[in-house]
Amino acid sequence: MQKLINDPDNYVDEMVDGMVSAYPERLTRVDDTKVLTRDSLIDGKVGIVTGGGSGHEPTHAGYIGDGMLDGAAAGEVFTSPTADELDTLAQACDTGEGVLCVVKNYEGDVMNFDTAAEMAEIEDVTVEQIVVDDDVAVEDSLYTSGRRGVCGTIFVHKAVGAKAAAGGSLEEVAAVGEKVIDNVGTMGMALTSCVTPAKGEETFDLGEDEIELGIGIHGEPGTERTDQLSAEEVGTHLTENVLDDLDPAAGTEVAVIVNGMGGTPLSELFIVNNAVQSTLEAHELDTWETMVGDYMTSLDMRGCSVTVCTVDDELKELFAAPADTPALTRAGDDE
Amino acid sequence: MQKLINDPDNYVDEMVDGMVSAYPERLTRVDDTKVLTRDSLIDGKVGIVTGGGSGHEPTHAGYIGDGMLDGAAAGEVFTSPTADELDTLAQACDTGEGVLCVVKNYEGDVMNFDTAAEMAEIEDVTVEQIVVDDDVAVEDSLYTSGRRGVCGTIFVHKAVGAKAAAGGSLEEVAAVGEKVIDNVGTMGMALTSCVTPAKGEETFDLGEDEIELGIGIHGEPGTERTDQLSAEEVGTHLTENVLDDLDPAAGTEVAVIVNGMGGTPLSELFIVNNAVQSTLEAHELDTWETMVGDYMTSLDMRGCSVTVCTVDDELKELFAAPADTPALTRAGDDE
Amino acid sequence: MSEDIHERQRPVVLEAINAVADRIESEQDHLTELDSAIGDADHGANLTRGFSSVREELEEIEDEPIDAIVKEVGTTLISNVGGASGPLYGGTLLTASQELTDGFTAESSVAFAEAYLAKVKDRGDATVGDKTMVDTLTPAVHTYKKSIEEDELPPLTALAKAVDAAERGVEYTVPLKAMKGRASFLGWRSVGHQDPGATSTLYILEELLAVAET
Amino acid sequence: MSEDIHERQRPVVLEAINAVADRIESEQDHLTELDSAIGDADHGANLTRGFSSVREELEEIEDEPIDAIVKEVGTTLISNVGGASGPLYGGTLLTASQELTDGFTAESSVAFAEAYLAKVKDRGDATVGDKTMVDTLTPAVHTYKKSIEEDELPPLTALAKAVDAAERGVEYTVPLKAMKGRASFLGWRSVGHQDPGATSTLYILEELLAVAET
Ligand SMILES: Nc1ncnc2c1ncn2[C@@H]1O[C@H](COP(=O)(O)OP(=O)(O)O)[C@@H](O)[C@H]1O
Ligand SMILES: Nc1ncnc2c1ncn2[C@@H]1O[C@H](COP(=O)(O)OP(=O)(O)O)[C@@H](O)[C@H]1O
Ligand SMILES: [Mg+2]
Ligand SMILES: [Mg+2]
Ligand SMILES: [Mg+2]
Ligand SMILES: [Mg+2]
């Protein structure tokens, strides 16, 4: 499988450079790290940071900017950043008001963020962590790692970013993050595996007529392999599963992401969206906003995920608030 | 090759529906056509429309909205819309100030737009056409079809959209469009062919270690097939070829698009961007703005194109002006 | 009297249209294959979409005079084909149909053929040797005209000769470098490939001949 | 005297670290293969990145006492591995190295092993049967402790027994449903696959034994 790369070992390093050279006025790289921060911090604002393995672009650093993140740490492809990088990140984004880390639930990320928080507190930086676990495909229990954090994280970034921009305290900002986490669910599927730069071939083999349901964003196989489904069946199945989990009352307003996994033509996502919307309608839900595109990817995987978040006035205001980042912009006046 | 589709014959129809159901407050579909227009026209503003084959999403309808397009017609995949749809489009977007059609150079599009213009004038709608032909890979001569119109069209949309929003007359709007056309060049490459929904297999075969240089956006083979190149070689080669054509003086400011063809991970585009920027620097050019992402795609093709546009104060102002469309947003205050 | 000729020719014309539609459908994959090599892999689909629509609309106009039927075929192709072949196959019929107010005669058929060719060249800004359908049409129309006007052959014989000439036109496109159409974007790489539009034009002529012969 | 033991053991410890690094590198593809099936195909790359860095930094600390060397290995793993295995392989050494202020003795090695296991279980919130490296470590540490403390066997023999036990731990992960780590996201589909972290833990123990035996 061909890729537009140089040395696979330098993949993340070069990507981070490429982001900075694309947006030199927006992004700054902390020397000798893969940590990116916004050009200049806003005094008195709670710092919002995140991080995780690379290969999910535009996640994470694509959401750095006004109204969303102050910084992000890039790990190796699909590998949590190391604790010292996360510590650097937290310290770099603190203006004295504390820092909120948005973590996608997985022990690797959680453990490294935990260690980083301990390291940062030694330097008198207050760090709060919220853990997103929106993947409804994964069985949740006290005895397991719980559910993965996937594309619902975008809604979390948007809400906490807006709250912090509006002057919210660390506690308040964390609280709106938790609110989104409580109200969001996602499920994904893949037509093909992705190809990591290191391995250079597909992570899992899929027959010509097979698909994977319940995949995450790390090229891991899903929870179920089935025969090929039509776009309509896929859209319906994913949405039904998410709604099953969220169980929103009829009449509830929802925000939706039909997310591409990196190798899916946008046209196909729009075709899937039809089924997503009719399923929502069938449940008498009211779509307040839909986003269709590549928001959290798995390299070049073909496939999609559907995220649904129930919204009230507070979340609508936060989601609609202005944002100006490479990957997501909200004018903030006409919604 | 698996795709997220239902019946391939309904591909475009369902995609257009999916766009409307994603952005019901932004887009309206003209009954019984594949024409999309913005929710409501702005009185006294020159209409800006475009169209072309489908499969290039977010091009075309993704750029409908404040500061860019008023409407777009979607043809079958890679096939120009028919003249009567283009006529409907022009009529739907006229407020009496005339309509500017942005056409990507290819006889199919040009001939259908020509016919549409004749049809529209019968209904007293003044239609001007500008033809984008930015693909430097194609040999240009009086005796050929000339160069293709590709990703440079995005800059044209942005400039004419901003000029029209600022109250420019049809003539003035067309003039800034021509100015962009005179100053923009693009070259593309592919690692793989795309797969059309109708054919279901790759349009051209490429060996594991081969790539195509000088491709367009319709799955046609390029002007040259070579051995695999690194991201650095690709970025340098494409940029050098574009600069060769534009031949800008040292010190010139440029706007840049590193465009993905639909199946390329964003991370790879950032890696390519490093080589693009160093090539620009080596030519002593000054990057004023860079856009990295999927702006004009070829379904699920893996590959990229590099677009360079030399900018002066007028173009910078137009490019930076506010825009609010599904695929491109400019806050318009902080550039 | 001129109504007579319309009545008389109508069944043949309708049969010819159906035959062309059948042929295009059965050659769809082959045409797309040719278009994959030097174009965008849709020529077969484009024409099939167009001629299927023509077939569906035929019922509504089957009582009209010949020129109206041909014109309607053109209109339907324009609004269903798109791409380059829509205007080239459709718009041309709109114009050329004007020569058929008295139906097909030896004379009017030459005028029709000439008008058609002129319109293709004009619309497409193409000339012989550009590796397009013009390469098929030009020798076919020239041969037809000379066979009728100079050699005073009956139209059927003239048409058969025209088809022969068209065949050579298709072959002729293979070694050419494309100057017009999508294939021109490939430059020298277009050499060695047969032009899809030139090929579909030959198929249409072959069907016209087959129906005329029966 | 306690300095003596550090001097004496240092070459063996350094050799063991090198041996582990070699082994991880040579098993990189296999570990990644295992991680492809139920994880994200990076366990081999993660550990290789970590242990290559350890090898490079060894020169700088090769005069330090044993506990400092082990601690530094942990620090280096933490800042180079990332993922789940970074904290699990690195953070644990940081803690457990505190048992080695007097170098490796029969006694301190048991304490070290117990501290290490406790820290993995704590960090990962994992228990036996969760299909993780804990399944390898637990029987190995239990066997080692009992061999030394109850059976009063020499450390080398105890270590050999521990490796045997560890092997069984690896096999044991195959039929289990994963409860922790990325494999847990697969639910029942994880059954039938061998855990990568359990496997790499065995390799490390095997290398420690091999070096101790020479
Ligand atoms: N400028 C032109 N003049 C004459 N014929 C042309 C021209 N451009 C294209 N054609 C013909 O049209 C054919 C391609 O038709 P088709 O594939 O349906 O349209 P598109 O190129 O828009 O995909 C070519 O093979 C060629 O014969
Ligand atoms: N919570 C946990 N407790 C103990 N071990 C774990 C835990 N999570 C993962 N592991 C171990 O880590 C291994 C995976 O490591 P690695 O692939 O390097 O990290 P990642 O899962 O972040 O990609 C698993 O095979 C398992 O043995
Ligand atoms: Mg990992
Ligand atoms: Mg076409
Ligand atoms: Mg074509
Ligand atoms: Mg892993």
Side-chain angles (χ1 to χ4, degrees):
Chain A
M1 177 56 64
Q2 299 181 22
K3 295 195 148 277
L4 275 171
I5 55 174
N6 300 305
D7 181 349
D9 285 344
N10 299 334
Y11 191 83
V12 177
D13 188 50
E14 293 182 6
M15 175 192 70
V16 172
D17 269 347
M19 293 184 106
V20 175
S21 65
Y23 313 112
E25 278 146 42
R26 292 167 176 267
L27 301 177
T28 306
R29 181 172 185 166
V30 177
D31 287 343
D32 297 324
T33 70
K34 288 166 194 136
V35 171
L36 290 175
T37 62
R38 50 191 298 163
D39 52 331
S40 66
L41 298 180
I42 295 168
D43 259 346
K45 187 182 88 65
V46 167
I48 308 288
V49 304
T50 190
S54 294
H56 310 302
E57 292 66 29
T59 297
H60 306 78
Y63 300 104
I64 294 178
D66 280 339
M68 290 187 81
L69 306 175
D70 295 292
E76 290 300 316
V77 172
F78 298 162
T79 301
S80 161
T82 58
D84 51 345
E85 298 252 320
L86 292 169
D87 169 37
T88 305
L89 169 69
Q91 295 203 35
C93 295
D94 184 43
T95 65
E97 301 301 316
V99 174
L100 181 74
C101 297
V102 180
V103 185
K104 290 185 290 308
N105 188 37
Y106 171 60
E107 285 107 331
D109 292 76
V110 173
M111 289 187 289
N112 284 292
F113 269 101
D114 272 343
T115 313
E118 287 164 19
M119 291 162 88
E121 311 238 323
I122 296 172
E123 309 294 323
D124 276 332
V125 175
T126 315
V127 178
E128 275 278 349
Q129 205 183 90
I130 55 175
V131 180
V132 189
D133 62 343
D134 55 321
D135 190 340
V136 305
V138 173
E139 179 186 304
D140 199 8
S141 101
L142 256 184
Y143 309 103
T144 63
S145 307
R147 313 190 326 184
R148 282 175 293 225
V150 286
C151 189
T153 310
I154 305 303
F155 282 136
V156 178
H157 290 168
K158 184 71 189 68
V160 299
K163 189 71 184 177
S169 69
L170 182 54
E171 205 178 313
E172 289 167 340
V173 171
V176 298
E178 295 291 1
K179 181 165 175 182
V180 176
I181 294 169
D182 288 343
N183 287 289
V184 71
T186 298
M187 184 165 162
M189 58 78 59
L191 296 171
T192 59
S193 161
C194 59
V195 176
T196 61
K199 198 167 178 221
E201 38 184 277
E202 315 217 314
T203 305
F204 55 84
D205 283 324
L206 212 46
E208 263 293 304
D209 294 321
E210 291 177 327
I211 63 173
E212 288 272 338
L213 293 173
I215 50 133
I217 53 171
H218 296 90
E220 65 268 54
T223 47
E224 196 188 334
R225 182 170 292 200
T226 67
D227 288 345
Q228 179 153 15
L229 300 176
S230 70
E232 185 169 341
E233 291 165 325
V234 165
T236 308
H237 182 84
L238 299 183
T239 313
E240 286 290 0
N241 271 272
V242 173
L243 294 182
D244 220 46
D245 182 84
L246 291 180
D247 199 22
T252 306
E253 286 186 289
V254 294
V256 180
I257 306 179
V258 181
N259 176 57
M261 302 307 292
T264 321
L266 187 53
S267 43
E268 296 183 16
L269 299 180
F270 282 118
I271 292 175
V272 170
N273 182 49
N274 289 319
V276 174
Q277 301 298 336
S278 8
T279 309
L280 294 170
E281 260 166 52
H283 285 257
E284 294 174 48
L285 298 169
D286 196 356
T287 302
W288 172 74
E289 184 192 26
T290 306
M291 292 157 70
V292 179
D294 283 11
Y295 292 95
M296 186 175 286
T297 62
S298 194
L299 289 170
D300 50 5
M301 185 180 263
R302 289 161 195 261
C304 66
S305 66
V306 173
T307 299
V308 179
C309 182
T310 59
V311 293
D312 59 7
D313 287 344
E314 182 186 27
L315 289 187
K316 285 196 286 185
E317 195 184 318
L318 294 168
F319 288 170
D324 189 13
T325 76
L328 198 153
T329 322
R330 286 280 178 279
D333 45 28
D334 61 346
E335 307 265 350
Chain B
M1 178 55 66
Q2 297 181 23
K3 294 197 150 277
L4 275 171
I5 56 176
N6 300 306
D7 181 349
D9 285 343
N10 300 335
Y11 191 82
V12 178
D13 189 50
E14 293 182 7
M15 173 191 71
V16 172
D17 269 347
M19 292 184 106
V20 175
S21 65
Y23 313 112
E25 278 146 43
R26 292 167 177 266
L27 301 178
T28 306
R29 181 174 184 165
V30 178
D31 286 344
D32 297 324
T33 69
K34 288 165 194 139
V35 171
L36 290 175
T37 63
R38 48 192 298 166
D39 54 328
S40 66
L41 299 180
I42 296 169
D43 259 345
K45 188 182 87 68
V46 167
I48 307 287
V49 304
T50 192
S54 294
H56 310 303
E57 292 66 31
T59 297
H60 306 78
Y63 299 106
I64 294 178
D66 282 337
M68 289 187 82
L69 306 176
D70 295 292
E76 291 299 317
V77 172
F78 298 163
T79 302
S80 161
T82 58
D84 52 344
E85 298 252 320
L86 292 169
D87 169 37
T88 305
L89 169 69
Q91 295 201 37
C93 294
D94 184 42
T95 64
E97 301 301 314
V99 174
L100 181 74
C101 298
V102 181
V103 186
K104 289 185 292 307
N105 189 37
Y106 171 62
E107 285 107 330
D109 292 75
V110 173
M111 289 186 291
N112 284 292
F113 268 102
D114 272 343
T115 312
E118 286 164 21
M119 292 162 89
E121 308 235 329
I122 296 172
E123 308 293 321
D124 277 332
V125 176
T126 315
V127 178
E128 276 277 349
Q129 205 184 89
I130 55 175
V131 180
V132 190
D133 61 343
D134 55 321
D135 189 341
V136 306
V138 173
E139 180 187 301
D140 198 8
S141 102
L142 256 184
Y143 308 105
T144 62
S145 307
R147 311 188 329 184
R148 281 175 292 225
V150 287
C151 190
T153 310
I154 304 304
F155 282 135
V156 178
H157 291 168
K158 185 71 188 68
V160 299
K163 188 72 186 177
S169 68
L170 182 53
E171 205 179 313
E172 288 166 341
V173 171
V176 298
E178 294 290 0
K179 182 167 174 180
V180 176
I181 294 170
D182 288 343
N183 289 288
V184 70
T186 298
M187 184 163 161
M189 60 79 60
L191 295 171
T192 58
S193 163
C194 59
V195 176
T196 62
K199 201 170 177 220
E201 37 183 278
E202 315 217 314
T203 306
F204 56 84
D205 282 323
L206 212 46
E208 263 291 306
D209 293 322
E210 291 177 327
I211 63 172
E212 288 273 337
L213 294 173
I215 49 133
I217 53 171
H218 297 90
E220 66 267 55
T223 47
E224 197 188 334
R225 183 170 291 201
T226 65
D227 288 346
Q228 181 155 15
L229 300 176
S230 70
E232 184 169 341
E233 289 163 328
V234 165
T236 308
H237 182 83
L238 299 182
T239 314
E240 286 288 2
N241 272 271
V242 173
L243 294 181
D244 220 46
D245 182 83
L246 292 180
D247 199 21
T252 306
E253 286 187 288
V254 294
V256 180
I257 305 178
V258 180
N259 176 57
M261 302 307 293
T264 321
L266 188 52
S267 44
E268 296 184 15
L269 299 180
F270 282 118
I271 292 175
V272 170
N273 182 49
N274 288 318
V276 173
Q277 301 297 337
S278 6
T279 309
L280 293 170
E281 259 167 52
H283 285 258
E284 294 174 46
L285 298 168
D286 196 356
T287 300
W288 172 74
E289 185 192 26
T290 305
M291 292 157 68
V292 180
D294 284 11
Y295 292 94
M296 186 176 286
T297 61
S298 195
L299 290 169
D300 52 4
M301 185 181 264
R302 288 161 195 260
C304 68
S305 66
V306 173
T307 298
V308 179
C309 182
T310 60
V311 292
D312 59 7
D313 287 343
E314 183 186 25
L315 290 187
K316 284 196 285 185
E317 196 184 318
L318 294 168
F319 288 171
D324 190 13
T325 77
L328 197 150
T329 322
R330 286 280 177 280
D333 46 26
D334 62 346
E335 306 265 350
Chain C
M1 189 197 89
S2 105
E3 268 186 22
D4 251 19
I5 197 169
H6 288 294
E7 291 289 320
R8 231 179 327 112
Q9 293 188 335
R10 193 178 292 124
V12 188
V13 168
L14 295 176
E15 197 194 328
I17 294 170
N18 273 312
V20 168
D22 287 350
R23 180 71 184 276
I24 291 294
E25 277 164 19
S26 73
E27 303 280 2
Q28 167 167 6
D29 289 350
H30 180 226
L31 291 173
T32 291
E33 198 57 40
L34 294 174
D35 200 27
S36 299
I38 53 172
D40 59 350
D42 64 359
H43 189 54
N46 288 347
L47 290 189
T48 300
R49 194 169 54 244
F51 281 102
S52 314
S53 308
V54 167
R55 199 205 308 270
E56 278 164 29
E57 278 174 32
L58 230 42
E59 253 176 49
E60 292 166 33
I61 48 159
E62 61 186 7
D63 300 327
E64 302 278 321
I66 302 300
D67 55 329
I69 293 176
V70 172
K71 187 175 166 196
E72 184 58 27
V73 171
T75 312
T76 307
L77 291 177
I78 287 185
S79 38
N80 288 284
V81 176
S85 37
L88 291 173
Y89 274 115
T92 44
L93 287 181
L94 241 61
T95 309
S97 65
Q98 293 166 12
E99 308 294 337
L100 303 178
T101 42
D102 293 329
F104 279 107
T105 63
E107 214 184 350
S108 79
S109 63
V110 170
F112 172 81
E114 285 195 299
Y116 185 98
L117 172 59
K119 190 71 190 176
V120 171
K121 294 177 73 169
D122 179 48
R123 266 275 116 130
D125 188 25
T127 177
V128 172
D130 284 354
K131 196 181 184 105
T132 69
M133 53 179 70
V134 171
D135 296 338
T136 306
L137 280 171
T138 307
V141 173
H142 288 188
T143 301
Y144 188 71
K145 182 181 163 86
K146 172 172 184 272
S147 301
I148 300 248
E149 294 187 355
E150 310 254 311
D151 305 344
E152 295 180 10
L153 296 171
L156 189 62
T157 320
L159 186 55
K161 282 179 174 287
V163 169
D164 268 359
E167 238 167 75
R168 257 169 273 174
V170 172
E171 292 299 324
Y172 180 62
T173 64
V174 176
L176 292 176
K177 178 182 172 202
M179 302 296 273
K180 289 288 152 76
R182 255 183 226 301
S184 72
F185 300 145
L186 269 69
W188 290 106
R189 283 185 78 179
S190 61
V191 170
H193 295 278
Q194 181 173 320
D195 181 62
T199 309
S200 56
T201 297
L202 170 64
Y203 294 157
I204 293 173
L205 291 173
E206 283 178 352
E207 290 311 310
L208 297 185
L209 175 62
V211 170
E213 273 174 342
T214 57
Chain D
M1 188 201 87
S2 104
E3 267 185 23
D4 252 18
I5 197 169
H6 288 293
E7 291 289 318
R8 234 181 323 113
Q9 293 188 335
R10 192 178 294 124
V12 187
V13 168
L14 295 176
E15 198 194 327
I17 293 170
N18 273 311
V20 167
D22 287 349
R23 180 71 185 275
I24 291 293
E25 277 163 21
S26 73
E27 303 280 3
Q28 167 167 5
D29 289 350
H30 179 228
L31 291 173
T32 292
E33 200 55 41
L34 294 174
D35 200 26
S36 300
I38 52 171
D40 59 349
D42 64 357
H43 189 57
N46 288 347
L47 290 189
T48 301
R49 196 171 50 245
F51 281 101
S52 312
S53 307
V54 166
R55 198 205 309 270
E56 277 163 30
E57 277 174 33
L58 229 44
E59 253 177 49
E60 292 167 32
I61 48 158
E62 62 185 7
D63 301 329
E64 303 277 322
I66 301 301
D67 56 329
I69 293 177
V70 172
K71 186 175 168 199
E72 183 59 27
V73 170
T75 312
T76 306
L77 290 177
I78 286 186
S79 38
N80 287 284
V81 175
S85 37
L88 291 174
Y89 275 115
T92 43
L93 287 181
L94 240 61
T95 310
S97 65
Q98 293 167 10
E99 308 295 337
L100 304 177
T101 42
D102 293 327
F104 280 108
T105 62
E107 213 185 351
S108 79
S109 62
V110 170
F112 173 80
E114 285 195 299
Y116 185 98
L117 172 60
K119 188 74 191 175
V120 170
K121 294 177 74 169
D122 178 48
R123 266 275 115 135
D125 189 25
T127 176
V128 172
D130 284 354
K131 196 182 185 100
T132 68
M133 53 178 70
V134 170
D135 297 337
T136 306
L137 280 171
T138 307
V141 173
H142 288 188
T143 301
Y144 188 72
K145 183 181 162 87
K146 171 174 185 266
S147 301
I148 301 246
E149 294 188 352
E150 311 256 309
D151 305 343
E152 297 182 10
L153 296 171
L156 190 61
T157 319
L159 186 54
K161 285 183 172 285
V163 169
D164 268 358
E167 239 166 75
R168 257 170 271 174
V170 172
E171 292 299 324
Y172 180 62
T173 64
V174 177
L176 292 176
K177 177 180 173 204
M179 302 298 272
K180 289 287 153 77
R182 254 182 226 303
S184 71
F185 300 145
L186 269 68
W188 290 106
R189 282 185 76 180
S190 61
V191 169
H193 296 277
Q194 181 173 319
D195 181 63
T199 310
S200 56
T201 297
L202 170 64
Y203 294 157
I204 293 172
L205 290 173
E206 284 178 351
E207 290 311 309
L208 298 184
L209 176 61
V211 171
E213 273 174 342
T214 57

